[in-house]
Amino acid sequence: MSARLGRWLKTLDSLEQRIAATPMVRRYGRLTRATGLILEATGLQLPLGASCLIERQSGAQLEEIDCEVVGFNGDKLFLMPLEEVEGIVPGARVYARSRADGQSGKQLPLGPELLGRVLDGAGRPLDGLPAPDTGFSAPLITAPVNPLQRTPITQVLDVGVRAINALLTVGRGQRMGLFAGSGVGKSVLLGMMARYTQAEVIVVGLIGERGREVKDFIDNILGTEGLARSVVIAAPADVSPLLRMQGASYATRIAEDFRDRGCHVLLIMDSLTRYAMAQREIALAVGEPPATKGYPPSVFARLPALVERAGNGTSGGGSITAFYTVLTEGDDQQDPIADAARAILDGHVVLSRQLAESGHYPAIDIEASISRAMTALVAPEQEARVRQLKQLLSRYQRNRDLISVGAYAAGSDPQLDRAIALYPAMEAFLQQNMHERSDYAQACERLQALFG
């Protein structure tokens, strides 16, 4: 009996040695269907968000392209590619991307080594430099911050723009929306805030915009000095919708990493609307029914999940002050994405096409803009002066036609008389050259002098 057991153990040891010496065979499935943006595969069981590789014929060689699991139906997996799909054939092999820790999730590089770099949504360099070697990577999605552990917004953040500093005061850790149509000076205003804001680190996410604007923003708006303390994540309009969404998440994850290191971060996302449009493309391709003006319900669930990751951290830590641009198509402020963004942000700055066409820059519509954290940041005297300026400006605008044709008789309305007298000074106060910096103290002093 013992001899038989010894022979069995010896055979088992030999079998284990042969298995250890044999290269591991990669587990794979097969591609069964390709419809629009979605690829269907069978033979693999992977969770949502898992990374995969698909074989593609490129000349005489086989390549592998990245894709992600975005849905499933029974034993079928729905995959969204991050690259072009030309060359993929029916029955192509689909491999699960594995990491050293055995997990299938996606991890991208993080760390101070990213400062001064321009990367795409997958962490690959766009600036012609070697891939960033940070020695640290982490998943894109993090656990939500307990709202009771967040530090309240109590410190004023100087953004260098007079109209915002004095009339729409922003606090450190606040999340603001920049609502604008096309061609009204949105990028220039973002560049002014990127150059002049008192932040240790700037993270810029250029999501779904024209490719030309990426280089223009870096060279002409951000500048060499601004880029040195910035990380730029660019996912222009011609890349996969999945890569556009990943670019927004990656930019937010980089900002979170610097916040956790104790830094005060300025996050600029241009634009939140393009992020929502990318999610709409994916959701409709998977088969989710549209709900509001063509947007499926998942879009309105994704927006707060992204925005809520910004803000102040726990007590004693860093902060993320975020500016998200929201495109208002046809200057429609009731666009569903604009309406949803107003509900989840801590304030909004509205840019007016009428002001831009009249040469008034920055074209901020003070009457339609608001900062919800302002009352906790400024003194009552400052708040009273802001309210007074808005009232006078509104009174003048409502009677502008009567004034311009000479139909208004002076003395009929003392409030309007004062608005007419102060209007040139108010208009000069609201305008600012893009190369001019106006700090918070100067803006408040000039507003006080306006009514002095």
Side-chain angles (χ1 to χ4, degrees), residues 196-443:
Y196 302 143
T197 298
Q198 295 178 344
E200 298 167 7
V201 176
I202 302 171
V203 180
V204 181
L206 301 176
I207 310 301
E209 297 300 317
R210 295 183 291 273
R212 178 192 63 80
E213 290 186 341
V214 176
K215 184 172 177 59
D216 181 68
F217 186 90
I218 294 170
D219 293 344
N220 303 325
I221 297 179
L222 196 59
T224 305
E225 183 180 348
L227 182 60
R229 60 181 179 131
S230 304
V231 184
V232 179
I233 304 299
D238 59 344
V239 302
S240 162
L242 192 62
L243 199 58
R244 277 176 263 154
M245 290 194 63
Q246 185 172 302
S249 297
Y250 188 28
T252 306
R253 185 66 185 89
I254 293 172
E256 287 177 317
D257 177 62
F258 280 108
R259 178 185 64 187
D260 295 341
R261 296 173 188 267
C263 298
H264 295 299
V265 184
L266 174 66
L267 173 62
I268 295 176
M269 189 76 69
D270 187 15
S271 70
L272 194 64
T273 304
R274 303 297 187 198
Y275 172 83
M277 288 180 174
Q279 171 61 20
R280 177 175 65 179
E281 290 181 44
I282 296 172
L284 293 178
V286 172
E288 187 179 351
T292 307
K293 290 190 176 180
Y295 287 97
S298 63
V299 173
F300 302 100
R302 288 270 190 169
L303 287 176
L306 179 73
V307 170
E308 283 294 325
R309 293 167 62 181
N312 284 331
T314 56
S315 179
S319 65
I320 302 175
T321 306
F323 284 89
Y324 299 92
T325 65
V326 180
L327 300 177
T328 51
E329 299 180 4
D331 299 320
D332 179 15
Q333 297 298 326
Q334 303 307 316
D335 177 83
I337 300 301
D339 201 40
R342 264 194 301 269
I344 59 179
L345 294 171
D346 302 324
H348 50 271
V349 179
V350 179
L351 299 188
S352 165
R353 184 173 300 278
Q354 182 179 0
L355 290 176
E357 290 173 349
S358 66
H360 183 292
Y361 290 104
I364 299 175
D365 186 346
I366 295 299
E367 297 177 68
S369 305
I370 191 171
S371 172
R372 295 177 179 173
M374 182 175 176
T375 54
L377 299 172
V378 302
E381 298 81 8
Q382 171 78 2
E383 190 177 354
R385 284 190 287 268
V386 171
R387 191 182 306 111
Q388 187 177 13
L389 185 142
K390 285 188 173 185
Q391 290 172 349
L392 292 176
L393 195 63
S394 177
R395 182 67 63 94
Y396 182 89
Q397 295 295 349
R398 287 200 305 269
N399 295 275
R400 190 183 189 100
D401 293 339
L402 293 176
I403 298 169
S404 61
V405 299
Y408 172 72
S412 303
D413 184 346
Q415 187 81 350
L416 182 55
D417 291 340
R418 192 178 184 208
I420 294 172
L422 288 177
Y423 183 74
M426 290 190 294
E427 192 173 34
F429 175 83
L430 295 174
Q431 297 186 55
Q432 183 176 339
N433 187 280
M434 65 177 293
H435 300 292
E436 174 192 355
R437 185 183 189 279
S438 177
D439 61 34
Y440 177 72
Q442 292 174 343

Side-chain angles (χ1 to χ4, degrees), residues 109-117 119 132-136 230-231 257-258 261:
L110 301 171
E113 293 82 1
L114 297 181
L115 290 174
R117 300 301 305 272
L119 309 173
D133 184 14
T134 63
F136 171 62
S230 304
V231 184
D257 177 62
F258 280 108
R261 296 173 188 267

